[in-house]
DNA sequence: TCAAATATTCGATGCGCATCGAACATTACG
DNA sequence: CGTAATGTTCGATGCGCATCGAATATTTGA
């Protein structure tokens, strides 16, 4: 079991983070990971969003997010477990995760509307 | 004198804001406007950044920023004065401006590292 | 009314990026 | 060792977007 390389959080620029979050699919993935709050299988977090894309495309987006410093990846058997770098991001960019967090983040109210533009 | 139309701040989605800030030139313009803190001539704020692009390109970027809810424009004679929607943005997206603010914006502490990639 | 200054709009162009499918890699399990 | 499962890499493709130049407003001032 090993960890895929990620940039040190101090070397991560907000410019790269914003560029990574510009893509709607990557933004959705990050939001799902914020909600997950723990290691998750990459393809599972994709399925949880309802988005349907090819495996290679998902792999590409996860790579972009990893190299942008947003997520980390752990190899477990034939699977890849991904997780948001929650602590690192909160320390380096306070307020960032709250900013991109799901707009209707009401855990006790699943029926709320999601005014995502 | 008139004001160009801007979207109501409540209708602005963070998704659109992030997409607008993904472009390096637009990000630079926003940072210059944060530093300006007041109405500024569009071409002046461009010159202050040192970026050299055509007039039409600048006009395009300002339009994107305006429609994304980040700036507002006032017509004064043959000029266009632009300003960041500072209060609106702070109210709707707390922490956003601090996040994208110039990395080395420490007036009293010039010794901090500037990890701009 | 004409000319100058400033900015927008329009059409075209080129590049970057998201996407896909196929081939390859890695690990688990029989 | 061979097969299945998962994921990455590679090459190609298509679209969106940033960019530019020319043409077009709009306002000012002589």
């Amino acid at each position: 079991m090993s960890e895929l390389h990620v940039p040190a959080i101090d070397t991560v620029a907000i410019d790269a983070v914003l560029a990574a979050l510009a893509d709607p699919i990557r933004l959705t993935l990050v939001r799902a990971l914020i909600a997950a709050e723990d290691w998750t299988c990459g393809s599972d977090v994709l399925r949880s969003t309802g988005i349907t894309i090819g495996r290679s495309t998902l792999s590409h987006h996860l790579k972009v997010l990893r190299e942008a410093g947003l997520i980390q990846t752990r190899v477990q058997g034939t699977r890849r477990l991904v997780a948001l770098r929650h602590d690192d991001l909160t320390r380096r960019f306070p307020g960032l995760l709250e900013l991109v967090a799901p707009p209707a983040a009401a855990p006790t109210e699943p029926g709320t509307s999601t005014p995502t533009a």
Side-chain angles (χ1 to χ4, degrees), chain A:
Chain A
M1 181 192 323
S2 61
E3 301 253 350
L4 268 61
H5 174 263
V6 291
I9 198 62
D10 292 333
T11 69
V12 175
I14 188 63
D15 302 48
V17 172
L18 292 174
L21 294 177
D23 183 87
I25 288 190
R26 287 196 292 267
L27 189 55
T28 303
L29 288 173
V30 168
R31 282 175 176 151
L33 287 172
I34 292 178
E37 288 271 359
D38 202 0
W39 294 95
T40 312
C41 179
S43 46
D44 285 350
V45 75
L46 172 67
R47 264 186 290 275
S48 75
T49 64
I51 295 176
T52 307
I53 56 176
R55 293 182 193 280
S56 53
T57 305
L58 171 63
S59 189
H60 164 69
H61 284 307
L62 291 179
K63 183 179 183 180
V64 171
L65 289 175
R66 189 185 329 121
E67 293 177 346
L70 285 163
I71 67 173
Q72 55 189 147
T73 303
R74 174 194 294 175
V75 180
Q76 190 191 57
T78 71
R79 302 196 162 187
R80 247 77 169 177
L81 297 185
V82 298
L84 200 73
R85 296 176 65 182
H86 206 287
D87 293 348
D88 284 342
L89 292 172
T90 301
R91 200 176 320 125
R92 176 102 162 107
F93 305 116
L96 173 66
L97 296 185
E98 290 78 3
L99 218 55
V100 304
T108 57
E109 278 286 351
T112 42
S113 64
T114 53
T116 307

